[in-house]
Amino acid sequence: MSEKSGAKIFKQKCSQCHTVEAGAGHKQGPNLHGIFGRQSGQAEGYSFTSANKNSGITWENDTLFKYLLNPKKMIKGTKMVFAGMKKPKDRKDLIAYLKKTCA
């Protein structure tokens, strides 16, 4: 897993809609700081769909790995427009980056 590669992936595919810094505001998507161990739909101040709020998902490496493959398949009714990432290495690298920057 490469945090450096993950940072590049985040900048290219995620930063338009998400922030990772503590205290940074929400964009089209929620701020991801503190995501690990948090239940889906629980970032304070962000308006989630009921699908996210009621998914019962707790964000960890394995749930993010599955979610990033196809968000709309994992949480039917999510407003996340991202199509997903097919390459397992890219998902692992992105998760490594998020693990470092969102803790």
Side-chain angles (χ1 to χ4, degrees):
M1 293 182 290
S2 167
E3 292 171 8
K4 185 176 180 181
S5 174
K8 190 175 186 179
I9 292 167
F10 183 86
K11 185 175 181 182
Q12 293 172 340
K13 298 182 181 281
C14 313
S15 65
Q16 186 174 0
C17 297
H18 294 281
T19 56
V20 293
E21 300 83 12
H26 301 299
K27 291 184 172 181
Q28 182 176 346
N31 176 305
L32 300 176
H33 194 270
I35 190 170
F36 291 92
R38 184 170 67 207
Q39 191 170 351
S40 177
Q42 302 301 314
E44 191 172 328
Y46 185 77
S47 177
F48 287 95
T49 63
S50 58
N52 280 85
K53 291 178 193 174
N54 300 322
S55 70
I57 294 169
T58 298
W59 297 119
E60 298 295 350
N61 289 24
D62 59 338
T63 49
L64 278 169
F65 186 79
K66 185 177 175 185
Y67 181 74
L68 290 169
L69 175 63
N70 188 338
K72 288 189 179 297
K73 184 176 181 181
M74 188 163 169
I75 301 180
K76 290 177 181 12
T78 184
K79 61 183 172 184
M80 185 160 155
V81 295
F82 182 62
M85 298 170 55
K86 303 301 177 217
K87 295 180 183 175
K89 183 187 181 317
D90 288 351
R91 286 181 277 147
K92 287 179 183 176
D93 290 349
L94 177 58
I95 291 167
Y97 169 76
L98 292 174
K99 195 87 171 174
K100 180 181 179 185
T101 57
C102 294

